[in-house]
Amino acid sequence: MALTEVKVEIPAAAAEAADDLLLESGAANWSVLEDAIARRAWLIGIFPDPAAAAAQWAELQAQLPTPPLAPADLRTLTDGDWRDSYKAHFHAWQFGRLHWVPVWEKETFRLPAGEAVLWLDPGLAFGTGNHETTRLCCERLIALAGLAPMGRVIDAGCGSGILALSAALLDFGSIAAFDVDPEAVRVSEENAALNGLEGRVRFFVGGLIEGLAGRQAEIVLANIQADVLQRERAVLLGAVAPGGTLALSGILAIERDAVRSAFATDAAGWAVDSRIMGEWCDVTLRRPAAW
């Protein structure tokens, strides 16, 4: 499969702001590559064809806080090329007894006794755990796994499937996961197969409204940008079963108070907690058992 790569150099000092912009805008096809030694940085995007690449670059360029240092470079990638291009951004990490490891490290990784590993090949989908927003959700999920009983899980905006498949490894019960991007759902199903977890998670294509319609769970995870979370808060809260937890991420730390205030309006009596990691935070709400 031939794809088109866009690569453009940006000021190294602007790399963090560019990374934040990508996550806030939901631009999953883009990533930031940094060379700390040379003090250089690039925006890299991968698209199905040159027309889509050019259009998406024009849209992103208009939002950049700092102009790029050079014109964008477009080139055609073979299947092997684009699969190698994102490997530099994904590194193994651990929290509690779970490890998240790139599948290309399978031959060299050694799993400590009594612990579990989720092999991942994220492809073009968001979600390796190397970003603070995903880590916050993973850590929340593991903390909730220590509580009984182990209930149902919904992963809204599943990306690579990392959260839903982690829930499967943690022995949660019924797990449903969806994403508006069909490519994300395809990658999630591939990652399920990599881990022998076929059938443990029901993956499907959908947005928040259709994805949560008629569903409730003891744990609802939503790693989505803050404005969407606030706009669809009634739908998200309605998907939480009595006594259940809603874990929100994709929120800049400076947006935390606004998100908490928005949800407090519709979730009076719910317990609220939040943590900050870098420039990002989560907001977690627990529904009373009788409400």
Side-chain angles (χ1 to χ4, degrees):
M1 174 177 63
L3 297 174
T4 300
E5 178 193 70
V6 182
K7 184 174 183 180
V8 57
E9 187 168 3
I10 60 174
E16 187 172 343
D19 195 39
D20 291 345
L21 172 64
L22 297 184
L23 193 63
E24 288 180 66
S25 62
N29 288 54
W30 292 95
S31 60
V32 175
L33 176 64
E34 294 184 73
D35 185 331
I37 296 175
R39 296 186 178 179
R40 299 178 70 185
W42 297 264
L43 279 165
I44 298 177
I46 301 175
F47 301 93
D49 55 65
Q56 290 295 314
W57 166 237
E59 181 178 335
L60 179 62
Q61 186 175 12
Q63 302 177 63
L64 291 176
T66 306
L69 297 177
D73 178 38
L74 275 69
R75 70 183 182 109
T76 300
L77 300 177
T78 64
D79 185 66
D81 286 336
W82 75 260
R83 285 188 175 274
D84 288 340
S85 68
Y86 62 76
K87 291 182 179 179
H89 304 283
F90 182 18
H91 308 285
W93 68 287
Q94 173 193 7
F95 184 78
R97 68 180 185 87
L98 278 191
H99 298 253
W100 294 266
V101 182
V103 69
W104 51 88
E105 294 183 11
K106 199 168 186 177
E107 296 299 320
T108 57
F109 180 77
R110 297 292 177 264
L111 181 66
E115 300 185 358
V117 61
L118 184 68
W119 307 108
L120 286 170
D121 189 344
L124 297 180
F126 178 80
T128 63
N130 288 152
H131 197 280
E132 291 92 334
T133 57
T134 310
R135 289 195 180 216
L136 285 163
C137 278
C138 287
E139 293 182 10
R140 285 288 185 186
L141 184 63
I142 291 173
L144 291 167
L147 305 175
M150 299 289 276
R152 299 163 292 176
V153 175
I154 297 174
D155 180 8
C158 62
S160 67
I162 181 174
L163 297 177
L165 295 172
S166 295
L169 284 181
L170 291 167
D171 297 322
F172 280 93
S174 172
I175 306 168
F178 60 88
D179 201 291
V180 71
D181 182 4
E183 175 66 11
V185 172
R186 185 191 68 78
V187 168
S188 294
E189 290 175 336
E190 287 188 351
N191 282 322
L194 282 177
N195 291 275
L197 295 173
E198 301 97 322
R200 281 288 284 114
V201 179
R202 186 197 167 201
F203 290 107
F204 59 97
V205 178
L208 277 178
I209 294 175
E210 60 268 33
L212 294 176
R215 290 185 172 84
Q216 278 197 331
E218 281 66 41
I219 298 175
V220 179
L221 306 164
N223 184 10
I224 304 172
Q225 61 200 70
D227 61 326
V228 177
L229 295 174
Q230 292 177 79
R231 185 173 65 245
E232 305 297 346
R233 62 187 180 274
V235 176
L236 288 160
L237 290 167
V240 183
T245 299
L246 173 62
L248 308 172
S249 192
I251 306 164
L252 284 165
I254 59 174
E255 299 171 322
R256 179 176 62 171
D257 291 345
V259 172
R260 290 185 65 151
S261 296
F263 275 84
T265 303
D266 295 334
W270 293 44
V272 183
D273 184 22
S274 181
R275 296 175 305 150
I276 292 176
M277 185 179 291
E279 294 187 347
W280 299 90
C281 74
D282 67 357
V283 173
T284 300
L285 301 100
R286 177 173 285 276
R287 177 178 175 177
W291 184 78

